[in-house]
Amino acid sequence: MGTMQEDEGLGYGSSLPVPSVQEIVRNDAQNIPERYIKNLDERPKASDISSISDDIPVIDLSLLVKGDEDERSKLDAACQKWGFFQIINHGADGVLTRMKAAMADFFDLPLSEKKKYGMATNDVQGYGQGYVVSDDQKLDWNDLLFLIAMPPESRNIKYWPLTIPGFKEAVEEYATELQRVSDEIFANLSLLMGVDKDFLKQLHGDVKQGIRMNYYPSCARPDLVLGVSPHSDASSITLLLQDDDITALQIMHEGIWVPVNPIPTALVVNIGDAMEAWSNGKYKSIEHRAVTDVEKPRMSAAAFVIPANDVELNPLKTMVDHHLQPRIFKDGVKYIEYLRYTLAKKMEGKLANIEYLKLNN
C-alpha cells in the first residue's frame, strides 16, 4: 500500500456522506425519513413479484471443476437466459460462516467506531453508502463497508477494522476462496466463448476484487423503501453471500421481479456489464435490487471482480458474426472510463449505464 493510494484513493470516484440507517432505526424504528421514501413508481409492489424463484439455475461447481459438459451447458444457458445463478458444492462453507460473523462484528460496533473507517471525500472504499451523488436524491435503506480485498498490495488498511479479532483473517480467507471460484467460472466461460481456458482470467489484467458488505436494517414500512435501488453491476462477474433466512434480492427477468430464495451455503453469481460487452451481448448483465424486511435486519457480502483500469471492453472476436451476431458494443472503451461513468451517477437501472458501451452511442 503506497502513499499515492492513501492520498488519492482508487481513482474510481466518490460518494457523498449520509446518515447511518442503522442509527436511524436504533433511534426511532417507526419513522421513515422523507429522503428514504421512494417515488411511487419506484416502490416495491407485491403485484410486481413473480413466483418462479425456484427456476433460477443452480450450478454445481464440483462438476465444472471435473469438466462435466452437461454442467458447462447449464452454465451457458444460465448466463444467456438469466444472467444469475446459484453455485453449490464450492468447498467454502466454513469460510462463508466466518465471513458472516466478521460482518456482524463490524456492524455491531458503536457508530463512533464505524465512523473511523468512513469513506474519504475522494474514495469509494470505507464505511458509508454508495452512489450518493447529490444532496437531494432518494437514498437506499442500507449501510455498507467497501474494501478492496485482492490483490493484497491493493488493500488500503486504513479502512479495515483491525481492532475486531479475526476480521482481517476472515475477509482474506473469503476473498481467496472467491477468487478460486471465480477463476473456475472464467475457465468454463472461456471455453464456452471459443477461446483458451485461461483467456478470460488473463484478459482481466491486474484484476482486483472489491467486497461490499451490506447491512439492511429492518424497516417499519418496507413498501416505501428499497435496500438497494435497481442496477446492474459494472464488474465482470459478482459473487454474493446472502443471508440464509431472509429473501430480499430480486432480479428482473422477462419484465418481472423474481425473488432469489437463499440456498444455505450457496453463492449467488451474476454477470456484470463488462462480461456482457466481452460476450457481445450473449451473456446478460441483469438488473437487480434488494427489498427490506419489517422484522429482521439482513446482511450480505458482494464480491465484485474488477478488471484492470486499462482493459478494453471490446467484444471478443469469437463472439462476433456479421450475419448471426453482429457487433453491438464499441471498441476502445477502457474499463476505468466505464466504471467512473457508472459511479458518478445514482443507481437508476441497467439501461442508463450499458447504453454507454453500445455502438449506437
Side-chain angles (χ1 to χ4, degrees):
M1 180 176 61
T3 304
M4 181 176 292
Q5 189 179 352
E6 287 275 6
D7 295 339
E8 298 182 7
L10 288 167
Y12 293 169
S14 61
S15 183
L16 297 176
V18 295
S20 162
V21 185
Q22 191 176 5
E23 290 302 306
I24 290 172
V25 174
R26 278 179 178 165
N27 294 329
D28 184 355
Q30 299 306 309
N31 179 47
I32 312 299
E34 183 65 30
R35 199 172 171 195
Y36 294 86
I37 298 176
K38 297 292 184 179
N39 298 325
L40 272 174
D41 60 337
E42 299 173 322
R43 296 176 191 173
K45 304 177 188 67
S47 58
D48 294 340
I49 307 302
S50 169
S51 60
I52 61 170
S53 182
D54 291 341
D55 293 344
I56 294 172
V58 177
I59 304 295
D60 188 328
L61 190 73
S62 68
L63 294 179
L64 288 183
V65 171
K66 293 175 184 175
D68 186 285
E69 292 288 349
D70 289 339
E71 204 66 15
R72 189 177 298 145
S73 294
K74 281 177 61 179
L75 175 66
D76 185 46
C79 294
Q80 288 191 62
K81 297 176 182 176
W82 286 87
F84 260 82
F85 51 93
Q86 300 210 52
I87 284 273
I88 59 172
N89 295 330
H90 46 64
D93 296 10
V95 174
L96 305 191
T97 301
R98 290 187 284 277
M99 181 65 184
K100 288 181 178 180
M103 285 194 293
D105 287 344
F106 174 75
F107 288 110
D108 280 347
L109 291 174
L111 180 61
S112 58
E113 282 296 306
K114 291 196 287 276
K115 279 187 170 181
K116 293 178 180 177
Y117 310 101
M119 294 176 179
T121 55
N122 60 344
D123 210 342
V124 293
Q125 292 182 96
Y127 172 69
Q129 189 173 130
Y131 297 91
V132 183
V133 297
S134 76
D135 290 325
D136 56 1
Q137 79 181 66
K138 296 291 186 178
L139 299 176
D140 289 339
W141 197 255
N142 78 69
D143 299 330
L144 66 86
L145 176 67
F146 182 77
L147 303 174
I148 294 295
M150 298 292 271
E153 59 269 21
S154 292
R155 296 172 186 162
N156 195 331
I157 295 299
K158 75 177 183 179
Y159 296 114
W160 290 57
L162 302 182
T163 56
I164 299 174
F167 180 92
K168 180 173 180 284
E169 293 76 12
V171 175
E172 286 178 332
E173 189 180 23
Y174 179 73
T176 300
E177 287 296 286
L178 263 58
Q179 183 170 288
R180 172 182 61 81
V181 173
S182 61
D183 285 350
E184 190 60 46
I185 293 170
F186 288 141
N188 280 271
L189 288 178
S190 292
L191 295 175
L192 289 167
M193 294 167 77
V195 291
D196 292 339
K197 194 172 185 178
D198 295 331
F199 186 90
L200 280 175
K201 183 178 179 181
Q202 294 171 355
L203 179 60
H204 281 76
D206 295 327
V207 64
K208 289 185 174 66
Q209 184 191 121
I211 299 179
R212 173 176 161 151
M213 303 171 210
N214 301 295
Y215 185 91
Y216 303 97
S218 60
C219 183
R221 290 293 305 275
D223 57 314
L224 299 180
V225 307
L226 283 171
V228 171
S229 295
H231 66 285
S232 60
D233 294 341
S235 56
S236 58
I237 63 172
T238 302
L239 302 96
L240 177 73
L241 171 60
Q242 288 211 85
D243 190 303
D244 288 343
D245 300 322
I246 300 173
T247 298
L249 174 64
Q250 299 177 349
I251 65 175
M252 179 60 73
H253 180 70
E254 297 179 350
I256 299 174
W257 289 109
V258 179
V260 182
N261 292 333
I263 299 174
T265 74
L267 289 164
V268 179
V269 180
N270 65 273
I271 297 297
D273 296 341
M275 187 64 71
E276 178 164 341
W278 286 335
S279 71
N280 195 36
K282 180 180 181 181
Y283 298 144
K284 302 289 194 292
S285 69
I286 298 298
E287 196 168 305
H288 52 287
R289 69 183 187 183
V291 296
T292 59
D293 189 84
V294 71
E295 295 179 353
K296 295 180 181 178
R298 170 180 174 262
M299 288 184 298
S300 68
F304 304 97
V305 181
I306 304 169
N309 288 351
D310 60 353
V311 170
E312 294 185 350
L313 301 181
N314 308 337
L316 275 59
K317 291 180 181 178
T318 55
M319 304 307 293
V320 177
D321 183 302
H322 294 299
H323 299 291
L324 300 176
Q325 196 171 4
R327 175 189 295 276
I328 58 174
F329 286 91
K330 302 176 196 173
D331 276 342
V333 178
K334 293 186 185 298
Y335 182 72
I336 185 61
E337 177 186 341
Y338 182 63
L339 186 60
R340 285 174 177 158
Y341 172 78
T342 64
L343 286 168
K345 302 155 70 250
K346 66 178 183 178
M347 286 182 173
E348 48 186 350
K350 172 186 174 178
L351 190 63
N353 289 340
I354 200 75
E355 286 299 307
Y356 181 85
L357 296 174
K358 291 191 173 180
L359 278 175
N360 59 3
N361 284 277

